Amino acid sequence: MSARTSAVPDADGATGLSRGTMIRRILVLGALTALGPLTIDLYLPAFPDIAGDLSATEAQVQLTLTGTLLGFAVGQLILGPWSDAVGRRRPLIAATLTHVVASLLCAVAPTIEVLGVFRVLQGMAAAAGAVVSMAVVRDLYTGMPAIRLLSRLMLVTGVAPVLAPTLGGQVLQFTDWRGVFWVLAALGLGLVAVVVFGLQETLPEDRRRAGGVAATLRTYGSILRERTFVGLMLTGGLMMAALFGYIAGSSFVFQDVFGLSEQAYGIVFGVNSLGLIAATQLNARLVRRVRPQWILAGALVVASAAAALMVVFAATGLLGIYGIAVPLFVILTTVGFTMPNIPVLALANHGRSAGTAAALLGAMNFAVGAVSAPLVGAFGTGSAVPMAGVMLGMSVLAVAAMFLIARPRQISGLEPDPPITGETPPPAVVETHVPEPVAAGRRGRRRLTALSPGAAHRPAATHDTVPGTGRPAALPGSRRARRQRSRS
């Protein structure tokens, strides 16, 4: 049997995915991926309170966010290859338990410096959900089905950054900023139970990579030599940097500059993020008609134009708060088109090293994001100009990386396809030779049959060869066969 891609069996041994199984996996993977945005965003409304309680400056508080993002980057570089070597479940369980411990330590941090250290650890642990979830999707799907699954997955994960500041504002009504980290610890414990009881292993032992640190470094090197991957990785990282520029500066802009309360800021944050959720769902339909690389390229251009307008509005004060909130809504909408398409395009040729490749994507996202966050604070938080300027610079660089390095015209292999009925993406195709009964006449022959669970066989005729010649053998009942029999 020759397999192009191995489908991962379900618990019942079937290679197909039922509708219920797919929905359950979306919810489980969405919950795991949501831990990262919740860890980053839940304490944003508490920035002014943290600064006052720990006698810290605004820039020092923003550095705790930078530490979280750096932890995310480093954690993915470690956890991605680990999941390729030992499977997906064990790294998830170990890292999520570490997240619980780090959250408890953050809750009792006596100084801003100690809080920053524990936030790094918390970010490293929360990285498991992001990188391993992406690898699980790559274990199960490729191509357009993977894009559609990721787009639906973003509906679940997109709720986390929308709700996180709002939830954080509500938590602050009943407790202080330390209570936010007690909540994160409780969420971590719940996710451990989700992994233990709700996620089966998707990486069989025969597909795991071994070899230790040296082999991991070689794998990283081979992936980074691929121009398309590097271009997409930079594009995704720069767009995430624009997003984190907003995350780092928005609480000060909306609360200090425009005078919104913590609760009102959470609502504005949520409204601006609704575009991201809508875009991920529109993307699932749009990729059936337009190549994902062109969807991505168009979204980047629109994001740059919106960021340029926001700089003008911030500098002139034109339209007030609406001159900031409306362009932000547009930019976050474009992020909804980049999040599902970049990982699928970048991971298309890295099935055996999905965890490692996904780790590089995630590390770039949060490493560049960690740079953009302190840039906003360095230029001051007395107006919206620093936040808008950082977002404009990062989005323009993302356009350059996409068109000059990744080059959309050179990205191939993911064509738009007709709409697929039902919600379940088709499982990976497994090719195998299946002999049919040999009958007299032209119909008797061997076929190469593509087997797809729950679907009809799709035959493709093949021919045996004459030993020692490499020429195709005559089919039974054909004229060539009759001539060969007459000569004999």
Side-chain angles (χ1 to χ4, degrees):
M1 179 180 292
S2 62
R4 184 174 61 203
T5 307
S6 299
V8 178
D10 289 337
D12 58 2
T15 54
L17 288 176
S18 67
R19 180 187 179 93
T21 299
M22 188 195 70
I23 292 175
R24 184 174 67 252
R25 285 179 175 167
I26 288 176
L27 292 175
V28 170
L29 296 177
L32 291 169
T33 310
L35 183 61
L38 286 172
T39 300
I40 294 169
D41 296 344
L42 197 65
Y43 85 138
L44 292 182
F47 270 19
D49 289 345
I50 294 174
D53 187 35
L54 299 181
S55 301
T57 65
E58 295 174 349
Q60 286 178 315
V61 176
Q62 286 179 327
L63 281 176
T64 65
L65 176 61
T66 300
T68 311
L69 300 179
L70 287 175
F72 244 88
V74 175
Q76 291 186 72
L77 292 176
I78 297 172
L79 294 166
W82 186 22
S83 73
D84 283 339
V86 303
R88 311 305 185 195
R89 278 169 51 89
R90 279 192 283 174
L92 272 175
I93 294 171
T96 308
L97 286 173
T98 304
H99 179 274
V100 173
V101 175
S103 299
L104 296 176
L105 293 173
C106 288
V108 298
T111 65
I112 192 66
E113 291 80 12
V114 174
L115 177 63
V117 171
F118 291 150
R119 284 289 285 175
V120 173
L121 179 61
Q122 193 180 35
M124 292 179 65
V131 67
V132 178
S133 294
M134 194 181 301
V136 168
V137 172
R138 182 57 183 84
D139 290 340
L140 300 172
Y141 296 100
T142 58
M144 292 299 169
I147 291 180
R148 286 191 289 269
L149 178 60
L150 279 174
S151 295
R152 290 177 172 87
L153 182 61
M154 291 304 155
L155 177 62
V156 180
T157 59
V159 172
V162 171
L163 294 181
T166 305
L167 292 175
Q170 298 303 315
V171 171
L172 291 174
Q173 286 188 323
F174 301 98
T175 183
D176 59 6
W177 64 268
R178 298 180 188 274
V180 173
F181 293 102
W182 287 101
V183 171
L184 287 172
L187 290 174
L189 281 176
L191 287 178
V192 171
V194 167
V195 175
V196 171
F197 298 107
L199 183 66
Q200 296 178 347
E201 182 58 63
T202 60
L203 186 65
E205 291 187 6
D206 59 347
R207 290 174 53 195
R208 297 176 186 177
R209 302 178 66 89
V213 176
T216 298
L217 293 177
R218 285 195 298 270
T219 303
Y220 276 134
S222 65
I223 294 172
L224 289 174
R225 285 193 293 270
E226 183 185 325
R227 178 174 184 151
T228 299
F229 181 91
V230 171
L232 291 169
M233 179 180 67
L234 290 173
T235 300
L238 289 164
M239 280 304 293
M240 289 298 288
L243 179 62
F244 283 121
Y246 160 66
I247 292 173
S250 61
S251 61
F252 295 107
V253 169
F254 285 109
Q255 293 183 69
D256 293 346
V257 177
F258 293 107
L260 297 185
S261 66
E262 295 171 344
Q263 290 71 36
Y265 162 68
I267 293 173
V268 171
F269 192 99
V271 171
N272 286 341
S273 300
L274 288 177
L276 186 151
I277 297 175
T280 58
Q281 301 315 292
L282 177 60
N283 184 74
R285 296 181 178 275
L286 197 57
V287 291
R288 297 175 177 177
R289 297 172 177 82
V290 183
R291 294 183 181 181
Q293 57 264 41
W294 293 115
I295 298 174
L296 174 59
L300 294 173
V301 173
V302 172
S304 298
L309 285 175
M310 185 167 58
V311 169
V312 173
F313 292 146
T316 62
L318 188 64
L319 300 181
I321 190 173
Y322 298 103
I324 304 301
V326 173
L328 283 174
F329 182 87
V330 174
I331 295 171
L332 290 174
T333 300
T334 64
V335 174
F337 290 109
T338 64
M339 289 175 68
N341 292 322
I342 285 180
V344 173
L345 290 169
L347 299 179
N349 298 323
H350 301 287
R352 286 187 58 83
S353 55
T356 305
L360 283 171
L361 289 176
M364 177 58 67
N365 286 348
F366 290 97
V368 181
V371 173
S372 68
L375 278 178
V376 176
F379 289 108
T381 56
S383 74
V385 173
M387 180 186 74
V390 168
M391 295 182 72
L392 174 61
M394 295 301 175
S395 58
V396 169
L397 289 174
V399 172
M402 183 64 184
F403 284 94
L404 299 180
I405 303 177
R407 297 179 180 177
R409 292 185 182 277
Q410 296 183 4
I411 301 175
S412 61
L414 292 175
E415 304 293 335
D417 57 6
I420 295 178
T421 58
E423 292 296 323
T424 305
V429 175
V430 180
E431 294 181 352
T432 180
H433 286 282
V434 178
E436 292 184 351
V438 178
R442 297 183 181 180
R443 293 185 179 180
R445 61 181 180 267
R446 299 176 66 89
R447 297 175 185 267
L448 177 65
T449 304
L451 298 181
S452 180
H457 289 188
R458 296 187 294 272
T462 59
H463 305 278
D464 295 332
T465 58
V466 178
T469 66
R471 296 192 303 272
L475 295 175
S478 66
R479 293 182 180 179
R480 182 185 298 175
R482 289 196 293 272
R483 287 197 298 269
Q484 290 175 351
R485 287 197 296 272
S486 64
R487 293 193 189 100
S488 60

